Amino acid sequence: MGLQEFWFVAIAVLFTGYFVLEGFDFGVGMLIPVFGRASDPKVGERRRRAVLNTIGPVWDGNEVWLITAGGALFAAFPEWYATLFSGFYIPLLLILVALILRICAIEYRGKIDDPVWRRRCDLGIGIGSWIPAVLWGVAFANIVRGVAIDENKKVTAGFFDLLSPYALLGGATMALVFALHGAVFIALKTAGDVHEDAVKMAVRLSVPAVVVGGAFALWTQLAYGTGWTWIMVGTAAIALIAVVALTAKVREGWAFVFTTIAVIAVVVLLFGSLFPDVMPSTTDPAFSLTIENASSSPYTLKVMTWAAAFTAPVVIGYQAWTYWVFRQRISTAHIPDSIGLPLGRKS
């Protein structure tokens, strides 16, 4: 394997890590309003806080995978980075704005002790979770499908050209799989009534995720896949079907393992179908970006490889330690009374 192939695989691994880890963060954010339903507003608030606290120690660390993936993409394949970020400017900008909204909503939610304030923050968390989930699916579906790229490596397609049926199905797949991933994670990390409701939600989401995700994986394979990527289609299908059975039996630990496998299989399917292109051109195949014509110099790739060899184990080890430290389950009994400044306080 040459350095160009190595860094294509490395970028695929980084995006896989991002979608696995940030995927359940998005899922938790999507489902927070559901877990806040209760006859007593104070009980509903405790439930929402319990759900949010499942990702409290890790959500910001999970986003580092996206930053690293973007940095690696810029350094290893600058032409890919330039064409992608200029051609997909609007969807990527919407993802960025949604992520900022989500970050601010999570950080500011507990600063003000007011139910209206917290509901608005919950809305921000929800919007900041749904929009990136859908648009990441749309973006990667278009990367695999190909877009109009001219001889100057510029995307000539407009925003609405990216909303093809295949791309929209990719967005629906990402959203449903992430929601299922998040529901299973909540079940894994909580106890009591929140845990019971999370299991019920995972059961409800599992069948739609199988149907929509299976349709997208099969379409990807038939239209763009190669011989070996059939393995990924089968793996994703088996994993999602296993989640249906495991959630019904309240085996959330194994269910989370299989939702993780399903996410990995889908991302590998997308990158495997793409290789050796990095952005196919629907205008003329000669204008397509490949790992060869989009990569940095061999010296740059070599320096990056040595840097990654030393830093990656430290980062992965630290993040694994974080998950181990905060491995305990959470229930509403662990949630103290709300604190914060009253809304409108001037001093």
Side-chain angles (χ1 to χ4, degrees), residues 63-327:
E63 292 189 337
V64 172
W65 286 80
L66 176 61
I67 298 170
T68 307
L73 186 65
F74 173 78
F77 298 99
E79 296 288 354
W80 184 8
Y81 181 94
T83 301
L84 175 64
F85 277 75
S86 60
F88 288 24
Y89 180 81
I90 293 178
L92 292 177
L93 177 63
L94 290 174
I95 289 174
L96 178 61
V97 171
L99 290 176
I100 293 172
L101 175 64
R102 174 171 165 266
I103 291 169
C104 292
I106 292 174
E107 292 291 345
Y108 293 167
R109 188 183 190 279
K111 306 301 183 185
I112 302 295
D113 187 15
D114 180 78
V116 175
W117 172 269
R118 288 192 291 265
R119 283 198 298 271
R120 289 173 179 172
C121 287
D122 290 341
L123 178 62
I125 295 171
I127 293 173
S129 299
W130 277 102
I131 289 178
V134 172
L135 291 183
W136 277 125
V138 170
F140 271 88
N142 275 290
I143 292 172
V144 173
R145 172 177 172 265
V147 292
I149 301 175
D150 63 18
E151 65 277 9
N152 298 315
K153 300 179 181 178
K154 294 183 179 180
V155 175
T156 58
F159 173 71
F160 291 103
D161 295 324
L162 303 178
L163 303 180
S164 66
Y166 173 70
L168 293 175
L169 183 61
T173 297
M174 282 285 194
L176 278 172
V177 172
F178 286 170
L180 174 61
H181 199 35
V184 173
F185 182 76
I186 295 170
L188 180 64
K189 288 288 293 178
T190 57
D193 60 334
V194 177
H195 169 265
E196 294 173 2
D197 288 349
V199 171
K200 293 176 183 177
M201 181 57 62
V203 171
R204 295 191 190 103
L205 289 169
S206 58
V207 174
V210 169
V211 174
V212 176
F216 176 69
L218 188 60
W219 190 341
T220 301
Q221 175 61 36
L222 294 176
Y224 313 107
T226 61
W228 72 267
T229 51
W230 274 110
I231 299 173
M232 295 299 104
V233 176
T235 301
I238 293 171
L240 288 174
I241 292 171
V243 173
V244 176
L246 290 165
T247 52
K249 294 181 179 180
V250 197
R251 300 291 299 275
E252 63 268 16
W254 280 108
F256 185 73
V257 169
F258 279 100
T259 56
T260 299
I261 291 173
V263 173
I264 293 172
V266 170
V267 179
V268 174
L269 170 63
L270 293 173
F271 276 91
S273 301
L274 185 62
F275 184 84
D277 291 335
V278 292
M279 284 197 72
S281 172
T282 57
T283 304
D284 187 333
F287 300 154
S288 297
L289 300 183
T290 67
I291 61 170
E292 294 183 355
N293 64 21
S295 71
S296 294
S297 66
Y299 179 76
T300 300
L301 297 179
K302 186 181 295 184
V303 171
M304 289 176 60
T305 303
W306 280 108
F310 285 103
T311 59
V314 175
V315 174
I316 293 173
Y318 175 77
Q319 192 165 25
W321 175 81
T322 303
Y323 277 90
W324 175 256
V325 169
F326 295 101
R327 67 189 181 278

